Amino acid sequence: AQKITQTQPGMFVQEKEAVTLDCTYDTSDPSYGLFWYKQPSSGEMIFLIYQGSYDQQNATEGRYSLNFQKARKSANLVISASQLGDSAMYFCAMRDDPQHDKVIFGPGTSLSVIP
Amino acid sequence: KAGVTQTPRYLIKTRGQQVTLSCSPISGHRSVSWYQQTPGQGLQFLFEYFSETQRNKGNFPGRFSGRQFSNSRSEMNVSTLELGDSALYLCASSSPRQGIHEQYFGPGTRLTVT
């Protein structure tokens, strides 16, 4: 069965420092996609970055990069130069059927950026 | 381009009542998915609609139902409300075009059942 694990319930990072949020996943499907979403206190889910299982390079989007280690089934999010506005819940998610939009979410990591 | 809109934003209902939530996807998006978010269970997939057809369903009781209209707008209905149905209900839309992977989420409807 598909499963997403995020082992860090809460994280603190100093402003302007980099932080890594961990995510491991489990699927038996060779074709899948991995996502990271940010959810501020307002509640809206904001898409950050996507990594396909067949992508050869790690995905990057501005200050966000995804450290994809397929053999370890790991998809960690790296946020560089943290900003106060990065304080939010971060969810790792997976879709293992590219034809459908059923996405499984991890439990989330609460990130707090300290000035 | 307008984002995903959900109405109402907040709702208070009594146990045993029913409720209907609405979601308008981004223009041109034909896939709409619904999720329930609670502190205890996290984010859980409810169902997905594409071109007025339900093509995926999560592990929820039959009290939870949905539909999609020809303009891609979607509604979800919860009948015989229980206290445990109190949650943030999120709707997301996506485009089936190649290379478009992400779902765009609405602001959610916060349902409180008393």
Side-chain angles (χ1 to χ4, degrees):
Chain A
Q2 318 146 31
K3 187 178 179 182
I4 299 284
T5 302
Q6 294 179 255
T7 57
Q8 308 152 313
M11 290 276 289
F12 290 88
V13 64
Q14 204 77 37
E15 194 179 4
K16 298 180 185 177
E17 297 290 312
V19 63
T20 298
L21 306 184
D22 294 341
C23 171
T24 57
Y25 59 92
D26 190 21
T27 180
S28 55
D29 200 310
S31 177
Y32 52 89
L34 296 158
F35 304 79
W36 277 92
Y37 284 89
K38 170 184 177 182
Q39 187 178 41
S41 55
S42 60
E44 189 164 350
M45 297 286 283
I46 302 167
F47 167 78
L48 296 178
I49 197 166
Y50 168 84
Q51 179 85 42
S53 58
Y54 293 118
D55 293 343
Q56 294 298 310
Q57 293 189 327
N58 286 344
T60 59
E61 289 284 349
R63 295 187 298 111
Y64 305 107
S65 60
L66 201 151
N67 184 0
F68 182 47
Q69 298 186 47
K70 194 171 181 176
R72 297 180 59 189
K73 292 189 174 179
S74 165
N76 298 340
L77 176 71
V78 180
I79 305 175
S80 62
S82 296
Q83 302 171 356
L84 296 178
D86 293 335
S87 294
M89 282 291 291
Y90 288 80
F91 293 94
C92 179
M94 175 175 66
R95 179 176 66 206
D96 63 3
D97 184 343
Q99 300 304 315
H100 294 169
D101 270 348
K102 179 179 179 179
V103 176
I104 305 298
F105 285 83
T109 295
S110 176
L111 177 67
S112 297
V113 180
I114 305 165
Chain B
K1 201 176 202 181
V4 178
T5 58
Q6 290 186 247
T7 56
R9 293 292 312 277
Y10 302 91
L11 205 50
I12 300 175
K13 288 286 188 178
T14 304
R15 200 167 33 175
Q17 289 185 314
Q18 73 151 18
V19 67
T20 299
L21 312 182
S22 180
C23 171
S24 293
I26 290 172
S27 177
H29 286 192
R30 291 161 60 193
S31 174
V32 174
S33 299
W34 288 88
Y35 297 85
Q36 181 198 63
Q37 186 176 25
T38 60
Q41 299 297 317
L43 273 152
Q44 295 187 89
F45 172 81
L46 277 158
F47 26 65
E48 179 207 355
Y49 286 88
F50 181 80
S51 292
E52 301 180 64
T53 301
Q54 185 184 90
R55 65 178 184 181
N56 228 324
K57 190 176 191 304
N59 197 21
F60 278 81
R63 300 185 298 105
F64 291 82
S65 63
R67 59 178 175 168
Q68 187 180 33
F69 302 94
S70 58
N71 62 358
S72 295
R73 188 178 71 86
S74 177
E75 288 181 348
M76 69 162 279
N77 185 277
V78 188
S79 62
T80 319
L81 284 165
E82 300 177 359
L83 296 179
D85 297 334
S86 294
L88 179 66
Y89 290 88
L90 291 162
C91 162
S93 75
S94 67
S95 167
R97 287 182 294 144
Q98 181 126 15
I100 303 297
H101 303 288
E102 67 266 30
Q103 293 181 314
Y104 294 88
F105 282 81
T109 294
R110 189 165 295 280
L111 171 65
T112 302
V113 182
T114 62

